[in-house]
Amino acid sequence: MTRFAANLTTLFQELPFLERFGAARQAGFTAVEYMFPYPYAPEELRDQLRQHGLTQVLFNLPAGDWAAGERGIAVLPDRQEEFRDGVARALTYVEALRGAQPPLVNCLVGKLPEGAHADEARRVLVENLRYAAAELKKVGVTLLIEPINPHDIPGFFLRTPDQAAGLIAEVGADNLRIQYDLYHQQRTEGQLLDTFRRLQDKIGHVQLADVPGRHQPGTGEINYPFLLAALDRDGYDGYVGLEYIPEGDTVSSLAWMDTLREGVTA
């Protein structure tokens, strides 16, 4: 049965961030994810989770200067010390936010700088992922890597799940998995279900949004009732993160879930 996690970065933007936890619980969610916890003290976020009976599913490693356009630093040879400091910082949040299970931690690998050599970037990326996976494994945490479509983030180094699977094989860490975002996959290659089935043993988390617009299911071309039912039948038992930008207000945007009410829980 599909378990949904509200992504508090994209949902409930009508409210200040710390108020989104309560809004998610009121809307029926028992799990949340978001991109970055770092603007807030770990205790602030932990208190929101406990107050509203929520499970923290996922957050990202620090990803450089987001406002300046950086989308991760794991491929940057001159930023390895900063990357390792980011892993240590993420671990303090893991300990504060873990419930019965620790949250997943996603690594946005970053954009290849102009003039950079792809082979050198991959070498640095593999080294960084080995380090991060080893540190996270000490506390029972799974590290994710996420392919991003080239339309939303031109120059992003990791574009497809097959590229991610190749990295996983090269890194050789048993706690490294793919964050499979159905929106990015549709924009890059399509073949959503076939790709999921081929790589299911390497997928650690699923996210969704419709195409085009990155809005809620039902606003675009993806047949989400069919797709989510297929993931259930294929044995996917992780959370599905709702990382979409609501068309309209957030609560109204959740009406699509009514079509999945049989056999689906929020």
Side-chain angles (χ1 to χ4, degrees):
M1 295 174 64
T2 305
R3 297 183 296 167
F4 294 115
N7 188 298
L8 300 186
T9 300
T10 59
L11 301 184
F12 303 104
Q13 293 187 57
E14 306 91 337
L15 299 170
F17 184 76
L18 292 179
E19 294 181 22
R20 298 177 194 178
F21 292 83
R25 190 67 184 91
Q26 188 171 4
F29 293 97
T30 59
V32 297
E33 63 179 40
Y34 40 80
M35 292 184 67
F36 302 112
Y38 311 108
Y40 304 92
E43 296 76 14
E44 288 183 282
L45 301 174
R46 181 192 62 204
D47 290 348
Q48 288 296 318
L49 294 171
R50 291 179 177 177
Q51 179 182 344
H52 300 292
L54 294 166
T55 296
Q56 178 77 44
V57 172
L58 170 139
F59 63 85
N60 293 341
L61 287 175
D65 189 341
W66 196 264
E70 291 186 333
R71 294 297 182 264
I73 60 173
V75 297
L76 305 180
D78 58 344
R79 306 282 284 277
Q80 286 190 274
E81 183 176 350
E82 181 184 346
F83 179 85
R84 293 189 176 203
D85 289 344
V87 173
R89 191 177 182 195
L91 282 167
T92 66
Y93 284 85
V94 166
E95 291 307 308
L97 304 180
R98 70 189 303 151
Q101 295 289 328
L104 303 165
V105 175
N106 182 45
C107 175
L108 295 171
V109 304
K111 297 185 287 187
L112 190 65
E114 187 175 347
H117 294 286
D119 289 346
E120 174 65 4
R122 185 181 180 92
R123 182 193 66 76
V124 170
L125 176 57
V126 168
E127 187 173 303
N128 282 335
L129 292 176
R130 282 179 182 154
Y131 175 83
E135 291 299 299
L136 292 171
K137 187 174 181 178
K138 294 175 183 177
V139 292
V141 172
T142 296
L143 176 66
L144 304 174
I145 48 176
E146 181 179 12
I148 304 289
N149 80 77
H151 309 288
D152 284 19
I153 306 182
F156 197 77
F157 189 77
L158 183 60
R159 297 180 302 279
T160 72
D162 285 298
Q163 290 175 327
L167 273 172
I168 289 171
E170 188 171 350
V171 171
D174 61 7
N175 64 324
L176 180 61
R177 296 285 183 271
I178 298 168
Q179 179 164 302
Y180 187 53
D181 189 312
L182 297 161
Y183 165 82
H184 290 302
Q185 177 65 13
Q186 179 68 3
R187 292 214 69 188
T188 303
E189 297 180 317
Q191 303 183 64
L192 303 181
L193 188 54
D194 177 68
T195 302
F196 174 83
R197 287 171 171 165
R198 284 193 299 104
L199 300 176
Q200 184 171 356
D201 64 333
K202 299 176 178 65
I203 291 173
H205 187 59
V206 173
Q207 292 180 324
L208 65 73
D210 218 332
V211 176
R214 202 169 188 171
H215 301 309
Q216 63 265 31
T219 59
E221 65 194 27
I222 301 176
N223 185 347
Y224 271 113
F226 164 80
L227 188 59
L228 292 172
L231 265 58
D232 284 345
R233 288 194 301 271
D234 289 345
Y236 177 70
D237 60 359
Y239 284 93
V240 175
L242 307 187
E243 195 185 41
Y244 67 77
I245 301 166
E247 188 174 71
D249 68 276
T250 298
V251 172
S252 296
S253 82
L254 298 171
W256 66 272
M257 296 175 69
D258 292 341
T259 64
L260 305 173
R261 61 185 178 273
E262 293 184 6
V264 175
T265 58

